[in-house]
Amino acid sequence: MDLGPLTAPLSGLENPAFASNRIFRDVLEALSRPGTVVPAPENLETPGKLNRAATGFLLALADMETPVWLSPDIRDIQTEKHLKFHTGCPVVDQCGQAVFAVADARTSNFDFLNSLAVGNPEMPHQSATLLIMIDGFTGPAALTLTGPGIHSKAVLAPDPIPDALIQWAQANQRLFPCGVDLIFAATSSLAALPRTTRIEV
Amino acid sequence: MNYQQTEIPDYNFAYLDEQTKRMIRRALLKAVAIPGYQVPFAGREMPMPYGWGTGGVQVTAAVIGPEDTLKVIDQGSDDTTNAVSIRKFFARTAGVETTEKTADADIIQTRHRIPEHPLREDQILVYQVPIPEPLRFLEPRETETRKMHALEEYGLMHVKLYEDIARHGHIATTYAYPALINDRYMMDPSPIPKFDNPKMDMMPALQLFGAGREKRIYALPPYTKVKSLDFEDHPFVIQSWEDVCGLCGAKDTFLDEVILDDQGNRMFVCSDSDHCNERQAKGHRGPQNRDDSLTEEVAL
């Protein structure tokens, strides 16, 4: 494997025990209260095309037990080296093997969505978590969210939000208890749509 | 003590190593995404025996951060052995602040009770669970119970509750009362009294459950529907007492019976010690605590 030119690796999480706890708690908050926008870690070096929220998420939660799949448009040698160096995670070619899959709402081809692992009725937790990188949460179209974790109704306006992704997410909700959990990773913030959340446009 | 200022800590922050915490955190995230479903996890040996809350301790260790304030209760009480030892464990291995006040806590680890004080959105309740599988005593095989959950086949539990009615005239299950989560998964709420089941329904706080020996984690996101199983003609009811708390006079709390002597004398006291102390501090007095100024007359 060609590792490319020899360059000093970017630094990972500073003070990992505390930083990864902070990131996890924010992700936990986002997943248990769908539609809630939580901050991404500040001052984090990001490899290749990954943004801060996605990098922080992977550094905090990925390790040798979690195959990571990167959409071809964001996969490069620097990103791969960075993730392997800091987390030891395998970077896989087949998205069906991934525990964490990462794509970019602007540039990725979304044909892969239906190949992600959704678990099975006896083991619904053996499913992928999908990170979609976006710009922010001030998009023109707001999604209306209902379901566990939401008092009555929540709104979320990911920017950008491809139609293919919304349609897939609505179909994904109907697979419950199977399904993929979706994380929107913006540059400086993050929000989540677990498989339980019903989405109306 | 501030953990970050100690020179060379004996353990990693909050005892568990980072890889274990990541594994537990990933299980917690899946548990939150599938409310009421038991996620298997690679439970570790903890420096306390199974049955002492090793599941809850592992969940707390994965969740707690240096800024959090921890409260630990055992049967509602802050000062029993289990609660004291777990509180000290985290004070020592994570250097976190601890409290006995429900309202001051960020994370509350509990054995077999939900505090009487309503919980807020910014709090997390961590349950210690002995047997996470509600169907286990009806069907011992994991392969079968897993299939029953997959097929949403919960008739066996209704038969069990029906047999209660046939034998006793009412549903005799009083603790670990099974509940249906978000109209899908049947869940064992851990051995809390059924008195506490209604508090789980649409609770603003996040609820996490850890079973150490059985190696299962499950969760209830905030504002999630929790329906205790019942029948139309035998609706779910919680316990009630003719007595009031002997110390604070509360009429609406879960009461423990305390035997006072061998002459048949007894008293009832709130199981939630913090709630009881808070009421007494406000001047409420019960029938066995009437030495000084009374602010509330208790009708007996």
Side-chain angles (χ1 to χ4, degrees):
Chain A
M1 177 181 157
D2 175 22
L3 290 177
L6 202 61
T7 48
L10 301 174
S11 55
L13 297 174
E14 200 179 326
N15 218 338
F18 300 115
S20 59
N21 177 264
R22 185 68 259 153
I23 294 168
F24 162 71
R25 284 289 286 275
D26 287 335
V27 173
L28 182 67
E29 171 79 6
L31 259 175
S32 53
R33 298 174 202 279
T36 304
V37 177
V38 298
E42 289 166 21
N43 306 323
L44 182 64
E45 293 194 305
T46 57
K49 291 175 180 152
L50 289 191
N51 66 18
R52 238 173 32 228
T55 308
F57 180 97
L58 291 173
L59 293 191
L61 288 161
D63 58 29
M64 68 281 192
E65 292 177 350
T66 60
V68 172
W69 179 82
L70 302 169
S71 171
D73 55 298
I74 58 165
R75 185 171 175 178
D76 57 39
I77 206 79
Q78 191 202 12
T79 309
E80 215 169 301
K81 272 168 71 179
H82 186 77
L83 292 178
K84 283 182 179 171
F85 179 76
H86 288 290
T87 73
C89 68
V91 178
V92 294
D93 297 328
Q94 304 292 326
C95 70
Q97 300 172 342
V99 168
F100 299 123
V102 191
D104 188 308
R106 284 204 186 282
T107 56
S108 295
N109 178 337
F110 286 105
D111 290 346
F112 73 89
L113 289 172
N114 289 319
S115 308
L116 292 171
V118 295
N120 63 63
E122 292 186 23
M123 297 278 190
H125 67 284
Q126 291 177 347
S127 54
T129 300
L130 172 62
L131 280 90
I132 298 288
M133 293 194 287
I134 57 170
D135 299 339
F137 295 99
T138 49
L143 308 175
T144 305
L145 314 175
T146 51
I150 302 167
H151 187 34
S152 50
K153 212 173 254 200
V155 288
L156 189 68
D159 181 28
I161 174 90
D163 287 341
L165 193 63
I166 297 180
Q167 282 156 20
W168 167 82
Q170 287 172 329
N172 179 59
Q173 193 268 329
R174 291 191 286 272
L175 293 178
F176 189 85
C178 298
V180 173
D181 303 309
L182 176 58
I183 307 250
F184 286 111
T187 312
S188 58
S189 55
L190 179 149
L193 298 179
R195 65 193 77 180
T196 48
T197 305
R198 285 178 296 279
I199 305 161
E200 283 168 55
V201 183
Chain B
M1 183 180 87
N2 184 339
Y3 182 89
Q4 284 158 299
Q5 288 166 358
T6 56
E7 287 176 7
I8 303 170
D10 298 332
Y11 298 101
N12 188 34
F13 176 75
Y15 185 75
L16 292 174
D17 60 279
E18 288 304 304
Q19 204 272 324
T20 298
K21 285 196 221 165
R22 272 194 301 273
M23 172 271 297
I24 294 173
R25 286 167 182 167
R26 290 193 298 260
L28 284 169
L29 295 178
K30 286 297 171 195
V32 163
I34 319 169
Y37 169 74
Q38 302 159 50
V39 181
F41 79 111
R44 300 292 196 248
E45 298 260 332
M46 297 302 286
M48 59 189 73
Y50 288 131
W52 282 69
T54 54
V57 166
Q58 289 180 79
V59 169
T60 300
V63 169
I64 202 162
E67 314 297 329
D68 290 318
T69 301
L70 178 70
K71 170 183 164 85
V72 185
I73 52 173
D74 170 6
Q75 299 275 13
S77 169
D78 291 278
D79 42 19
T80 52
T81 313
N82 196 208
V84 171
S85 62
I86 292 174
R87 199 163 55 233
K88 278 192 177 162
F89 176 78
F90 282 110
R92 183 167 157 198
T93 59
V96 292
E97 296 280 327
T98 60
T99 182
E100 297 191 358
K101 299 219 170 304
T102 303
D104 293 348
D106 299 304
I107 297 172
I108 302 169
Q109 182 172 329
T110 174
R111 174 179 175 273
H112 306 184
R113 269 317 304 281
I114 297 175
E116 306 286 0
H117 198 285
L119 299 181
R120 299 184 311 262
E121 285 196 350
D122 60 341
Q123 294 178 309
I124 297 177
L125 188 58
V126 178
Y127 295 75
Q128 303 170 198
V129 183
I131 311 280
E133 177 51 72
L135 298 162
R136 184 59 71 232
F137 290 111
L138 305 171
E139 170 52 69
R141 289 168 295 179
E142 169 70 11
T143 48
E144 295 304 300
T145 53
R146 191 162 280 284
K147 200 162 279 163
M148 289 157 84
H149 283 295
L151 299 173
E152 215 177 330
E153 176 49 71
Y154 297 137
L156 202 55
M157 185 59 86
H158 278 106
V159 171
K160 194 245 174 199
L161 297 179
Y162 168 73
E163 284 180 350
D164 268 6
I165 295 170
R167 291 175 67 180
H168 306 287
H170 61 275
I171 297 177
T173 304
T174 53
Y175 66 95
Y177 193 103
L180 202 63
I181 308 308
N182 194 32
D183 299 321
R184 179 57 182 82
Y185 277 101
M186 187 160 73
M187 189 191 88
D188 183 335
S190 87
I192 59 170
K194 67 176 178 178
F195 181 88
D196 285 341
N197 270 32
K199 295 179 193 166
M200 307 179 103
D201 184 36
M202 300 301 276
M203 185 191 275
L206 173 63
Q207 301 172 73
L208 306 174
F209 299 76
R213 177 176 42 212
E214 303 290 324
K215 298 177 174 49
R216 294 289 186 276
I217 281 171
Y218 50 107
L220 289 177
Y223 304 117
T224 298
K225 191 174 160 195
V226 177
K227 169 91 176 76
S228 303
L229 297 189
D230 61 359
F231 299 99
E232 280 176 19
D233 52 345
H234 284 270
F236 174 78
V237 283
I238 60 172
Q239 293 100 327
S240 59
W241 288 263
E242 287 172 11
D243 290 271
V244 299
C245 172
L247 299 178
C248 78
K251 303 177 182 102
D252 57 351
T253 60
F254 189 80
L255 299 179
D256 287 335
E257 183 179 355
V258 180
I259 307 292
L260 297 173
D261 53 27
D262 58 0
Q263 307 297 310
N265 287 315
R266 57 189 190 158
M267 71 185 287
F268 288 87
V269 292
C270 291
S271 130
D272 186 335
S273 56
D274 170 55
H275 185 74
C276 193
N277 290 339
E278 218 168 73
R279 279 178 53 84
Q280 290 177 62
K282 285 183 189 153
H284 297 282
R285 289 287 182 272
Q288 270 100 337
N289 192 13
R290 284 174 171 263
D291 42 75
D292 48 11
S293 61
L294 294 177
T295 55
E296 187 186 60
E297 279 302 320
V298 179
L300 276 178

